[in-house]
Amino acid sequence: MTRLMGRKSMAAALTALVLGLTACSSGGNSGGNAADNAPAGQNGGANANQTAGAAPDAGDSKAFKLWLGWTATINNDSMVQKYWREHEPGIDVQLESTQGDAMTALNLKLNTGGFDDAALFGRSDIVNSSMIRSGSIMPVEQYFDMPDKYPGLASIPKLYLDAMKDKDGHIWSIPTWFDQNPSDPWPGWASGGWFVRKDVLDKTGMTMDDLKTIDGIENFLRAAAKQKDASGKALIPLSFLSDANDENIILSTFGVSTATAGGVIPVQKKDDGSYEFIYDNPQYKAAYQWMNKMYREGLIDAEAITDKAERYKEKTKSGRIAMNVGGFFNMDAHIWEILDGPTEPAWYIDTIPYPQVPGVGKIGSNQIVNPYPGNDLYISKNTKNLGAILKFVDYMLTPKPEQQQVANEGPAGVFWDWVDKPLGLWKFTDENYQKLHDSGDAAKIASTNPALYAISSYSNEWYPWWNYALTEPKGRQKTIDFTQAIGKMGGVRVAEPYDMVKAKPGGLWEKYLPELENVRKEYKAKLLMAKDDKAFEAAWSDFQSALEKRAHWSELKQEWNATLQEQTAASNG
């Protein structure tokens, strides 16, 4: 289940990102000026014969080098790569990974002659700007209008391509890892929710129905505080990993949106068309008042603010905690996935609907589904293997629901196949491949495939790891059940333009965002752990003052609104 764990790592990172109050750049900005780059083909290589207005001759090469903008164990003689070379698409892809910091590696590479053929990086305005300014890449917009030769590239939703054009109409990368249908996107690995130990719930004499309201949660926590773990210690009624902003799920429960899609700050659009920023939402204070109340009663783990991931995971695994709130990947999904029955406390963990809070009609968004491309493939203007690059990427972007599975494990009928019907359950059919694939040894895993699903696309119509026909251990299914249930609870929604308002270069957000985050972290601890109501109100007053004095909150909001107007005008123009 290597790729499942890889997906989990990606999802955990994503959850930490969207639950935090800052996020990386995403979706739809060219990030540079075409004038910074000479027209492709002026320095020879594959594009030496390019003329104005004509696509260059891609040639008929059968191999190319692909530089990955992340760390990976590489085996360029893997079983899937052999299939690509010997069968379809008939291309020999030689991979090189990035070691250490990606941006440092990128700058070093660009300053020492650039990469040989193609580079695949996570989408970033900084990466995009660096690539364009280096003058080492070629524009690729012409290849999206050649459906007879490159049907996969021609199938990329126009919505994504239009957002990537610079002022001269150039597109400098081939987008990958996007949703094939942006109007009905895959909801992703939703992981943020409330989780209860069913065995503890049974011991208190309460039922799942009793946990439907925030008052019911309080009653359970008080009852759970009287229960003991296997070693005889009193249980921790409620805990979360504040280091990963897990408490934002409680904010969501109180109606506060905590996520962005690459934007600088979580914002909610009100019924009157205006926008309410996270710290201006009165429910933000109400949520922390509730947390403070629970903390003062000893119902929230006293170490929640200071615990690091390993300590929190160990508490969950050992059965010290009766109820968790936050992302289940932070709890460590592996602790139940290895189980085949009720042999450990993790077996009894179950997710519950977000409890109802009086006066809250809708929970706040804590995960934004962004169907826009997550990665960009850049092509060196000096490559001699343009034909191989385009043929390979075109194959990988075939718009089929199962294409990410094909990109990762090869086509159906080779190392895996359908159990019942296409787009139904699937399983591995090559025993040796599966043994190596599931070994847990990085070198053995790399001998099967290079985990290159990031060069493909995905679809809500079929997702491979929700349809894997593996029922042992039985605990594996819990992760799938959890994420599918949470995805329907109301905290996940599709990105809107206001979720993607970024910091203007040289602007106030760029200048003050780090201090805004420092203020948030400092006062979430003070609000949570205030010793009484008076201390809480004092901490809240100091928080409001710090927002203005240290983070220039009013000025930030003014710039945000101006940037949104500019962004809206640009997209409509």
Side-chain angles (χ1 to χ4, degrees):
M1 294 294 289
T2 304
R3 182 158 64 118
L4 178 55
M5 294 310 296
R7 285 284 199 276
K8 289 175 185 175
S9 298
M10 179 176 69
L14 176 62
T15 302
L17 177 89
V18 298
L19 288 180
L21 298 183
T22 61
C24 298
S25 301
S26 65
N29 287 321
S30 65
N33 191 326
D36 294 332
N37 198 359
Q42 289 188 355
N43 294 327
N47 305 309
N49 62 347
Q50 182 178 358
T51 58
D57 180 8
D60 59 356
S61 58
K62 300 295 182 183
F64 74 97
K65 295 179 180 178
L66 178 60
W67 181 38
L68 304 177
W70 54 81
T71 301
T73 301
I74 300 296
N75 179 343
N76 279 316
D77 203 30
S78 72
M79 297 162 80
V80 167
Q81 282 168 281
K82 284 182 181 178
Y83 182 87
W84 292 339
R85 183 166 63 238
E86 298 170 3
H87 300 282
E88 58 178 343
I91 301 297
D92 181 11
V93 183
Q94 295 293 300
L95 302 175
E96 174 192 355
S97 71
T98 297
Q99 303 302 320
D101 179 68
M103 285 309 304
T104 300
L106 174 63
N107 289 330
L108 179 62
K109 181 83 75 171
L110 294 179
N111 288 328
T112 54
F115 51 92
D116 293 314
D117 295 313
L120 183 66
F121 270 72
R123 174 156 288 196
S124 163
D125 287 349
I126 298 174
V127 170
N128 202 58
S129 296
S130 298
M131 288 285 192
I132 295 171
R133 284 199 295 263
S134 73
S136 62
I137 61 173
M138 60 177 286
V140 294
E141 64 274 0
Q142 61 265 43
Y143 302 112
F144 304 124
D145 295 320
M146 302 171 68
D148 293 340
K149 191 169 185 179
Y150 303 117
L153 299 183
S155 72
I156 299 172
K158 191 171 181 293
L159 177 71
Y160 304 151
L161 297 176
D162 285 345
M164 295 172 65
K165 291 179 180 178
D166 67 12
K167 66 181 181 63
D168 296 318
H170 290 307
I171 298 175
W172 296 96
S173 64
I174 296 175
T176 72
W177 201 240
F178 53 79
D179 200 297
Q180 294 171 12
N181 184 359
S183 63
D184 182 26
W186 175 63
W189 284 93
S191 66
W194 292 76
F195 303 87
V196 67
R197 282 260 305 281
K198 186 63 167 57
D199 57 333
V200 176
L201 183 67
D202 290 342
K203 289 178 180 179
T204 65
M206 299 177 68
T207 67
M208 287 291 197
D209 281 344
D210 295 324
L211 304 179
K212 288 183 176 180
T213 66
I214 201 70
D215 286 342
I217 295 292
E218 291 185 23
N219 292 335
F220 169 73
L221 297 181
R222 294 184 182 105
K226 301 174 183 178
Q227 303 299 318
K228 308 289 185 181
D229 66 9
S231 65
K233 296 180 180 179
L235 288 180
I236 299 169
L238 177 66
S239 192
F240 49 82
L241 184 61
S242 185
D243 197 46
N245 299 311
D246 272 350
E247 69 275 5
N248 284 356
I249 296 303
I250 298 175
L251 291 171
S252 291
T253 303
F254 277 75
V256 181
S257 288
T258 61
T260 76
V264 290
I265 193 77
V267 174
Q268 289 174 243
K269 189 172 184 179
K270 302 176 71 174
D271 293 339
D272 62 3
S274 63
Y275 298 96
E276 185 172 60
F277 295 83
I278 181 170
Y279 306 129
D280 296 338
N281 189 332
Q283 289 300 108
Y284 187 91
K285 180 180 181 182
Y288 273 102
Q289 283 177 314
W290 183 83
M291 284 186 263
N292 178 243
K293 175 185 174 183
M294 295 298 98
Y295 185 86
R296 282 152 51 187
E297 286 190 38
L299 302 179
I300 286 181
D301 188 353
E303 298 175 323
I305 287 290
T306 57
D307 265 349
K308 298 301 180 183
E310 290 308 311
R311 170 74 170 156
Y312 175 66
K313 289 177 181 180
E314 179 54 36
K315 287 180 180 179
T316 304
K317 180 181 179 180
S318 63
R320 295 279 296 118
I321 302 169
M323 177 174 277
N324 301 68
V325 63
F328 67 73
F329 290 113
N330 296 334
M331 296 159 60
D332 190 1
H334 185 68
I335 63 176
W336 55 73
E337 288 180 345
I338 62 174
L339 303 179
D340 205 27
T343 55
E344 299 288 343
W347 179 264
Y348 299 98
I349 295 174
D350 203 354
T351 189
I352 62 173
Y354 281 64
Q356 298 168 3
V357 175
V360 176
K362 183 179 180 181
I363 69 172
S365 303
N366 53 66
Q367 181 167 322
I368 306 296
V369 177
N370 187 353
Y372 277 79
N375 300 305
D376 288 287
L377 183 125
Y378 299 91
I379 302 177
S380 169
K381 71 178 183 183
N382 294 317
T383 180
K384 295 179 173 61
N385 300 303
L386 180 59
I389 298 169
L390 293 175
K391 184 176 181 180
F392 183 76
V393 180
D394 182 73
Y395 169 77
M396 287 299 185
L397 292 178
T398 301
K400 294 181 179 179
E402 71 273 24
Q403 195 62 23
Q404 65 159 303
Q405 173 78 348
V406 174
N408 206 75
E409 315 286 0
V414 180
F415 304 115
W416 66 276
D417 211 342
W418 305 110
V419 171
D420 41 17
K421 59 183 179 180
L423 304 188
L425 296 177
W426 69 275
K427 66 177 181 180
F428 288 114
T429 54
D430 185 304
E431 184 177 348
N432 181 51
Y433 184 94
Q434 183 174 6
K435 181 179 179 181
L436 293 168
H437 185 279
D438 294 348
S439 66
D441 182 293
K444 291 180 179 179
I445 296 166
S447 74
T448 63
N449 71 69
L452 206 56
Y453 59 85
I455 203 170
S456 186
S457 60
Y458 54 92
S459 170
N460 197 21
E461 192 173 343
W462 188 78
Y463 187 71
W465 290 107
W466 292 356
N467 291 280
Y468 185 34
L470 181 67
T471 57
E472 295 180 357
K474 293 184 178 67
R476 294 180 187 267
Q477 187 63 35
K478 287 174 74 73
T479 297
I480 297 170
D481 291 343
F482 284 171
T483 193
Q484 289 182 311
I486 292 169
K488 299 174 183 176
M489 290 180 182
V492 181
R493 65 168 173 79
V494 178
E496 298 288 348
Y498 57 85
D499 298 313
M500 296 182 269
V501 176
K502 297 182 176 68
K504 297 173 67 173
L508 296 175
W509 276 100
E510 187 174 82
K511 182 177 181 179
Y512 294 119
L513 186 56
E515 185 61 18
L516 179 65
E517 181 65 0
N518 289 337
V519 169
R520 180 190 74 85
K521 288 181 178 179
E522 176 183 339
Y523 282 94
K524 77 172 183 179
K526 291 181 177 180
L527 291 170
L528 176 68
M529 298 187 293
K531 64 179 181 180
D532 52 34
D533 290 345
K534 183 179 179 180
F536 181 90
E537 290 299 332
W540 180 258
S541 178
D542 290 345
F543 175 48
Q544 300 303 301
S545 178
L547 285 174
E548 285 296 337
K549 292 180 180 179
R550 290 167 51 185
H552 298 254
W553 184 231
S554 294
E555 297 172 56
L556 289 179
K557 290 186 289 185
Q558 290 175 1
E559 184 178 87
W560 186 94
N561 278 290
T563 303
L564 177 62
Q565 290 179 1
E566 294 170 7
Q567 175 181 298
T568 303
S571 63
N572 292 336

